[in-house]
Structure formats: C-alpha cells, structure tokens
Amino acid sequence: MRIGIDLGGTKIEGVALDGSREAARLRVDTPRDDYDTTLRAIAGLVRDLEQRTGARATVGVGIPGTLSPDTGLVKNANSTWLLGKPLRDDLQHLLEREVRIANDANCFAVSEATDGAGVGAGVVFGVIVGTGTGAGIVVNSRVLSGPNGIAGEWGHNPLPWALDDERPGPPCYCGKHGCIETFLSGPGMANEHQRRTGRLVTTPALVARAKTGDTVADDTVSRYEHRMARALAAVINMLDPDVIVLGGGMSNIDRLYEHVPKFWQPYVFSAGADDVVRTRLVKAAHGDASGVRGAAWLWTA
Ligand SMILES: [Zn+2]
C-alpha cells in the first residue's frame, strides 16, 4: 500500500493506493499559519487511511515548495508557515518511518504524464494554478528536478510581454513584483478585478458571472486568459512541450482550453511562417487527485 499526501494551501488530501487502484481517500482543511497543527493533520490522515485499509503504507508528500538541497529545510513555499521548517524530519519522527517529499507540481506532472492527460507525450509541462502557480516538467516519463530543486518554477518569472498597467505588478511573497503567480493564481484573478473595479468578488463568482454575460467580469477573465497565453508562450519558446496540462482550481475554467491556445499563437516564435502551434493545452485527467497520486508514486521510483 502507498499513501500519497498533497499538502495544499487550503486542503490536505490523502490517498491510499493499492497498485493504481484507489483504496481510500480523505481530505481535511489545512491549518493555515500553524506548522505544528499541520504536522499533526498530516499524521492524522496517514493513521486514518491505514486504519481504513488495514495496511501499513509507504508515505510520499507533495508540498508547495521544495526541500533545500543544502539544509533539507522547506524553501519556496507560498504556504509561508512551512518555510525553514524541517518538515521531512518532523514527519519521519511522527510517523516512525522514512517519508519522501517532493514539490507538489512535480507530483502532479508525474501523475498526469504517467496515466493522465499527458500519457504518451514526450515532454509534459504540468501546471497547477490554484492558491499559487507551480509547474513541473516530465521528459520521457522522468521528472526533471535540477540541482536547485526548482525546475519548472516559472511562476516566479516576470509576466512576459507585460503591458504598462502590468508593471511593476502586484507584490509576491517571494519578494519580487509582477511574478506570473501573482496574475495566474486564483487570488490573482480576484485581486485584478478589485484593482480595476474596486469591488471584491471571489474568483468562482467572477467566472460564473462572465458566463451569464456580465461584461465587466468577462473582461477580467479575458485578461486572465491573455496573461496565461503570454506566460505559456514563453514556456513553449523555451521547452517546446508536447502537452501542457492544467490542474488546480483555475483549471476548471472550461473556456481557457479554447481561448488560451488562440491567444498564445502570436507570441510563439515562428518568424516567416504561419505554422499552427502544435502544443496542446489540456485539463488534468485526475483532477484534484493528481497531486496525491503523484505523491504516492514517489515510492515507485
Ligand atoms: Zn514571486
């Protein structure tokens, strides 16, 4: 039995996999801003999953961020209460076993490349657009990690081909301004709407309003699509992936899959030709479950 845990900014999800069959799944709210309670919540999920399945399992955890290759402490997490914490050591102590930890977007990309929306593709760029914006790269079924543990972290590059009203851009928890994440995350869309209209509307409400013909909400969603198109065009120019898979809450916006590939066309390098961009933009096949599945599979490698 393999247990995968996806430690998200709002939810912690756990799954017990028996082969590729899902034996049990549980989810709890993330205790925000409280590291010790977060540790206990993860340990509690593992215990509950083992109780349900009656088997002791390996444990893999996907986190928003990564472990520093130098210190083993958490870095690059937008769930900032995890930063600088010895998460792996603490979990291993609590759970009395070895625990494998990887970046959540890398777990997501592995899951989708293995038996999801990117199956059979040579190069998969897996993007999670939710509370934050993260991405992972899988080449020929192997995740690309890199010596700094940050391969795929394009969310903290500046928004490419930025317009005047996008510079310097909103402040990011990483210390910079105008990171792609500040525009493409769920809160990024709501913040953008508030900046332009002075009204605070949640992102799901904005998407719903745009659907019913609210032109102000539609404009916000449309700006979001143009920004995603520019951000992904830069990825295509750099990596030329076969497939870009979207996961996270924002991946449920159906119109993205039609509009974004239209909007990225002029930004993809193709001087002197009218070649249609062959990279496909698709929705994650395993939905929210991709992160946990990939985390469980940290123990297959
Ligand atoms: Zn940033």
Side-chain angles (χ1 to χ4, degrees), residues 155-157 170-182:
H156 296 278
N157 284 351
C172 183
Y173 74 91
C174 76
K176 308 278 199 302
H177 276 76
C179 291
I180 286 170
E181 167 162 324
T182 66

Side-chain angles (χ1 to χ4, degrees), residues 5-13 27-34 38 41-42 61-65 76-82 104-105 128-134 173 181 185-187 248-249 288:
I5 300 285
D6 184 21
L7 174 52
T10 53
K11 294 267 187 272
I12 306 175
E13 181 139 9
R27 144 194 280 231
V28 296
D29 288 338
T30 302
R32 291 185 68 85
D33 303 316
D34 188 337
T38 299
I42 295 171
V61 183
I63 63 166
N76 294 345
N78 63 354
S79 300
T80 48
W81 64 96
L82 302 175
D104 54 3
I128 300 181
V129 268
T131 317
T133 301
Y173 74 91
E181 167 162 324
S185 65
D288 288 346

Side-chain angles (χ1 to χ4, degrees), residues 63-67 75-78 102-107 125-128 132-137 143-146 148-159 172-174 179-181 231 235 238-239:
I63 63 166
T66 190
L67 300 182
K75 69 169 182 176
N76 294 345
N78 63 354
N103 175 258
D104 54 3
N106 286 4
C107 293
F125 190 68
V127 184
I128 300 181
T133 301
I137 300 166
V143 71
L144 198 69
S145 180
N148 305 294
I150 56 169
E153 290 298 349
W154 118 117
H156 296 278
N157 284 351
L159 185 70
C172 183
Y173 74 91
C174 76
C179 291
I180 286 170
E181 167 162 324
V235 170
M238 175 91 175
L239 187 66

